[in-house]
Amino acid sequence: MSDFTSVTDADGVAVITWDVPGKSMNVMSMEAFNLLDRLVDAALADPAVKGVVITSAKKDFAGGMDLNVIARMREGGAQALFDGLMGMHGVLRKIERAGMDPKTLKGGKPIVAALPGTALGIGLELPLACHRIIAADNPKAKIGLPEILVGIFPGGGGTTRLARKMGAMMAAPFLLEGKLSDPKAAKAAGLIDDVVAPEDLLAKAKEWVLSAKDADLVKPWDAKGYKMPGGAPYHPAGFMTFVGANAMVMGKTMGVYPAAKALLSAVYEGALVPFDTALKIEARWFTNLLLNPSSTAMIRSLFINKEALEKGANRPKVPDQSVKKLGVIGAGMMGAGIAYVSANAGIEVVLIDAAQEAADRGKAHSADLLDKGMKRGKVTPEKKAEMLGRITATTDYAALAGCDLIVEAVFEDPKVKAEVTAKVEAVVGPDCIFATNTSTLPITGLAKASQRPEQFIGIHFFSPVDKMNLVEIIRGKATGDRAVAKALDFVRQIRKTPIVVNDARFFYANRCIIPYINEGIRMVAEGVEPVFIENAAKLVGMPLGPLQLVDETSIDLGVKIAKATKAATGEAYPDGAVDEVLFAMAGEGRLGRKANAGFYAYDVSGKREGLWEGLAAHWPVADAQSPLTDVEHRLLMIQALEAVRALEQGVLTDIREGDVGAILGWGFAPWSGGPFSWLDIIGAARAVEICDALTARHGDRFAAPELLREMAAKGESFYGRFAPAAKAA
Ligand code: NAD
């Protein structure tokens, strides 16, 4: 069995079929690409072949390049990488020219791509090199070039071809944002040429091959007098496009994502030269990008390791624990969200609250989300009815009989949680796993209320549940393997990404994010210009500045957490300066977005207007401001150090989880690949230097952990020391 096979039928059409053995989705490997090359050569050389159809035997065309291959490509260094890319361009260019005379542009063999379903990445770049792209009318199919989302750009000619086919402006959403379309939308946008009934796909493709004329095979950029749609950079309209695109990219990425810059450079420079030179420029920028540590780290965390965690990299070896019937206790903001994502995954849900009205309100949250989906045409009335039919909203604990997993999301109060635990255990079967969604209370303590502490676990969702993809699973001291497997299988069912951590104050995510917020607030107290704090955070790639973040999560929650932390840590409590600001804000009723007043000002409709002008009256801005790097280092290092301490203390047991969890959980500078990847990029020695400087200026909270010092002394990296298998990625 091989990835591609070619069969020529009686009418002289060679059908090259992509069907990677043993996989549900085709992904491209270098070997497969070489095989495709040979099959194309054979078809072009065979006088009996009039033309070629490239299609797939699977329900989809292809998911893209195997990113592990891309990760490995960089190992040979720049020249080998560039040569490999040029080899790939050569094959695709051969398909595009299809044996035609380069002068007369005559005599080529038509080659058409017939897409039964999804076609992503190289799965669209290959069709873009063909003479026509026909897709089956399959509304579930996704067509596009999502490379930018994992820190690279389409480097198989997709960038150059799409920019020339559509013009830079029209291609921008597909290249710069990785926008995906269903076949009809892809046709309307000009990504593909035709959409046909699925059963007619092959026949229509062959029909086109057999009727194509010489002129049908010539790409606009190979024809005489080609001009880039919308204008090349020195055309007045093109000039506007490129200036605008550059500003837009810088505005969106703050310049921290090398992929967007490299992509724009490839398009801009490519537009000024002939097509084959443009491909060479694309290959140069792609080489440059793949050798950039940011792209390495992004691919590793956002693709390879994220997928490994989703597939159960850290799942204990116990039989399948898929959830059939779920009980959710507490139908508030979190419980309602958990019920929605679970019912959406086909799980039967019993949603319990203390009052029927509250339970019904929780279920109504699902109805609201489904209504929104219907408005966008994504949900049918039948699907809505079916989904809502899976959720039983009640106050009756007896309805929990037969549940195999419970997720408790009642008030953050150990007494209430203990009562609920006992009430649930009185009605569920002996094998049922009990999970708490607490965000701050140690699991081991809460498990004391359980008769079966080995079946007691933390499953910590992030808000809003339907949007946030990370789920933090917390093992209490007594938690057994089956409970961990159950939690992981549940997270897989609801298609989110899990990390598994050990029990400690604030677990992992909150442990890192709270110091980030506190550092921002501390700077306000010190007189650092608040706008400077927020912008410095953005310039290191944080999606939200610390002051905006605390406004979103609410300042009274910050006060509550501060009080609880102070009670738990006593004399050693280090955040008095932060509390002064936090408590003063809360005292004035500036509780954040929900109160329409916080560190930011909001208009009556709740729109954020800018930082609150009253801040300066409370905390005057100092005459001398810190250098930008000092503020940037403080904001990033305070999080990264907490991650290192979590690893040192055994809260984290896998740095892959630390990195993936940081990006998905609280948006830690995605360009860096996560806190451990960031420390690896700058190197342990430089990290220690930064810590020493920050400690001297700002205090002991920046003291480098022993582990980091030891690694600096030995010249080690986190991925080298803790994840040798993941290092190659
Ligand atoms: P919420 O106040 O919106 O909802 C709590 C719900 O529990 C209410 O509807 C309440 O009526 C119900 N309830 C209280 N006592 C009950 C009982 N004895 N029996 C049945 N129902 C009862 O709170 P929330 O924001 O949804 O938080 C719930 C839990 O999730 C808390 O432990 C919280 O720490 C945790 N959490 C919250 C967030 C967040 O961002 N809000 C994030 C992660 C975890």
Side-chain angles (χ1 to χ4, degrees):
M1 286 269 282
S2 47
D3 289 14
F4 286 96
T5 46
S6 179
V7 175
T8 305
D9 52 21
D11 48 14
V13 178
V15 178
I16 298 182
T17 305
W18 197 352
D19 191 4
V20 180
K23 293 219 169 161
S24 58
M25 176 70 97
N26 289 325
V27 286
M28 187 71 92
S29 65
M30 282 329 276
E31 297 73 32
F33 204 77
N34 293 335
L35 172 60
L36 173 67
D37 183 22
R38 291 198 297 278
L39 295 178
V40 169
D41 276 344
L44 293 179
D46 184 348
V49 172
K50 296 188 185 122
V52 180
V53 174
I54 302 179
T55 190
S56 154
K58 302 194 193 291
K59 72 178 178 29
D60 292 311
F61 186 64
M65 196 74 177
D66 180 345
L67 281 182
N68 287 294
V69 173
I70 295 184
R72 248 177 277 131
M73 274 166 77
R74 64 169 76 82
E75 280 168 14
Q79 188 64 49
L81 191 49
F82 176 75
D83 292 345
L85 291 168
M86 287 311 293
M88 212 157 110
H89 283 319
V91 175
L92 294 173
R93 194 67 177 128
K94 180 164 59 192
I95 290 174
E96 194 159 53
R97 304 291 269 179
M100 68 180 71
D101 181 300
K103 287 229 163 61
T104 62
L105 305 179
K106 291 199 162 103
K109 291 186 183 180
I111 303 184
V112 51
L115 316 178
T118 290
L120 300 174
I122 189 78
L124 179 59
E125 291 182 295
L126 165 60
L128 282 170
C130 297
H131 305 120
R132 195 159 183 88
I133 309 174
I134 305 178
D137 185 7
N138 170 357
K140 288 219 168 107
K142 291 193 167 76
I143 296 179
L145 300 167
E147 283 86 344
I148 199 84
L149 302 176
V150 289
I152 53 175
F153 70 80
T159 296
T160 300
R161 286 197 174 83
L162 209 62
R164 292 197 175 217
K165 192 174 159 102
M166 300 181 150
M169 177 85 101
M170 301 306 277
F174 302 102
L175 294 175
L176 275 172
E177 292 165 24
K179 179 179 169 187
L180 305 182
S181 314
D182 63 29
K184 282 201 171 121
K187 183 180 175 210
L191 270 183
I192 63 170
D193 302 300
D194 225 341
V195 181
V196 301
E199 59 278 15
D200 297 340
L201 180 65
L202 211 53
K204 291 278 184 197
K206 284 185 182 176
E207 198 180 299
W208 192 87
V209 164
L210 293 172
S211 63
K213 307 270 176 316
D214 277 334
D216 296 333
L217 313 192
V218 181
K219 290 292 174 66
W221 43 88
D222 284 328
K224 251 209 165 108
Y226 167 78
K227 286 207 167 53
M228 190 160 169
Y234 291 137
H235 179 276
F239 177 80
M240 304 275 280
T241 304
F242 280 95
V243 169
N246 201 35
M248 188 191 84
V249 167
M250 289 306 279
K252 276 198 178 167
T253 64
M254 295 289 158
V256 292
Y257 292 91
K261 275 200 245 181
L263 168 73
L264 262 189
S265 303
V267 174
Y268 178 92
E269 292 166 20
L272 298 169
V273 294
F275 186 79
D276 287 296
T277 314
L279 287 179
K280 216 185 243 181
I281 289 174
E282 186 192 292
R284 287 226 168 92
W285 276 113
F286 200 63
T287 303
N288 175 298
L289 183 66
L290 284 192
L291 294 175
N292 186 309
S294 164
S295 88
T296 312
M298 280 182 81
I299 293 179
R300 186 174 58 202
S301 290
L302 290 173
F303 184 81
I304 296 170
N305 291 342
K306 175 173 172 289
E307 195 175 276
L309 298 179
E310 284 162 2
K311 286 193 171 153
N314 293 325
R315 185 186 183 281
K317 305 243 167 314
V318 291
D320 180 50
Q321 296 291 321
S322 297
V323 177
K324 292 178 190 65
K325 184 174 173 189
L326 173 76
V328 179
I329 323 292
M333 188 167 87
M334 298 305 287
I338 297 165
Y340 169 77
V341 296
S342 306
N344 208 11
I347 300 171
E348 192 190 338
V349 180
V350 177
L351 179 60
I352 290 201
D353 206 295
Q356 185 62 42
E357 204 191 334
D360 290 340
R361 220 179 304 124
K363 181 170 173 176
H365 174 68
S366 287
D368 288 349
L369 290 176
L370 289 163
D371 285 342
K372 278 191 193 138
M374 273 171 47
K375 271 202 194 117
R376 281 186 284 120
K378 301 269 177 214
V379 177
T380 59
E382 297 75 44
K383 163 134 196 248
K384 179 182 167 189
E386 196 186 311
M387 268 262 323
L388 291 179
R390 286 197 201 107
I391 305 178
T392 306
T394 177
T395 57
D396 181 9
Y397 277 66
L400 296 174
C403 283
D404 49 327
L405 176 69
I406 302 291
V407 177
E408 166 276 300
V410 299
F411 298 139
E412 189 75 339
D413 176 339
K415 260 223 244 92
V416 181
K417 290 197 187 285
E419 277 166 31
V420 165
T421 308
K423 267 171 95 173
V424 168
E425 287 189 354
V427 290
V428 295
D431 291 338
C432 180
I433 301 292
F434 188 102
T436 170
N437 180 48
T438 178
S439 31
T440 56
L441 302 167
I443 304 304
T444 309
L446 294 177
K448 294 207 171 100
S450 169
Q451 302 291 319
R452 314 157 186 151
E454 73 288 353
Q455 287 168 218
F456 194 99
I457 193 164
I459 302 186
H460 180 208
F461 283 86
F462 295 79
S463 174
V465 177
D466 59 304
K467 295 231 168 69
M468 297 294 288
N469 280 329
L470 186 75
V471 178
E472 190 174 19
I473 295 169
I474 305 116
R475 241 181 204 279
K477 279 220 172 65
T479 305
D481 278 354
R482 195 171 68 80
V484 175
K486 184 97 196 169
L488 282 166
D489 290 355
F490 173 50
V491 173
R492 181 178 38 75
Q493 281 174 285
I494 58 174
R495 291 182 289 276
K496 295 199 182 281
T497 309
I499 60 171
V500 182
V501 304
N502 285 317
D503 198 14
R505 191 163 187 76
F506 299 134
F507 319 129
Y508 173 59
N510 284 339
R511 170 188 186 136
C512 299
I513 193 73
I514 292 169
Y516 168 66
I517 290 175
N518 284 353
E519 200 60 26
I521 297 176
R522 200 185 294 272
M523 289 189 213
V524 172
E526 287 169 13
V528 180
E529 168 69 67
V531 174
F532 187 33
I533 304 171
E534 296 291 88
N535 285 341
K538 299 248 173 80
L539 284 171
V540 289
M542 292 300 294
L544 300 187
L547 306 178
Q548 188 184 342
L549 187 58
V550 71
D551 264 14
E552 297 292 333
T553 53
S554 97
I555 288 170
D556 48 334
L557 178 67
V559 167
K560 231 166 129 183
I561 291 174
K563 284 185 177 159
T565 311
K566 196 169 180 179
T569 51
E571 285 296 297
Y573 183 68
D575 294 326
V578 176
D579 291 357
E580 268 179 39
V581 178
L582 211 51
F583 290 23
M585 294 289 284
E588 290 191 29
R590 300 196 72 88
L591 302 182
R593 171 183 283 288
K594 66 178 183 187
N596 255 7
F599 285 96
Y600 281 80
Y602 301 82
D603 70 12
V604 277
S605 69
K607 191 165 167 272
R608 200 178 52 254
E609 290 195 308
L611 281 145
W612 177 43
E613 285 179 354
L615 285 175
H618 286 272
W619 303 282
V621 173
D623 290 339
Q625 292 289 307
S626 311
L628 173 63
T629 41
D630 183 70
V631 178
E632 287 180 337
H633 281 160
R634 284 175 76 174
L635 291 172
L636 218 47
M637 195 55 95
I638 200 80
Q639 305 174 63
L641 287 181
E642 218 38 65
V644 175
R645 289 187 200 111
L647 178 70
E648 230 176 6
Q649 293 162 11
V651 176
L652 274 179
T653 55
D654 183 338
I655 57 168
R656 296 178 298 174
E657 293 180 312
D659 273 350
V660 173
I663 298 177
L664 299 189
W666 75 91
F668 182 95
W671 65 268
S672 71
F676 296 104
S677 291
W678 178 58
L679 292 169
D680 277 358
I681 288 174
I682 60 174
R686 172 77 184 122
V688 167
E689 239 175 69
I690 294 173
C691 288
D692 288 347
L694 290 176
T695 308
R697 278 200 295 274
H698 305 292
D700 283 347
R701 64 188 179 285
F702 289 106
E706 208 36 57
L707 173 63
L708 198 59
R709 281 195 191 281
E710 186 195 316
M711 287 174 52
K714 291 187 183 162
E716 287 176 334
S717 67
F718 283 97
Y719 277 85
R721 174 166 168 159
F722 293 102
K727 195 181 153 202

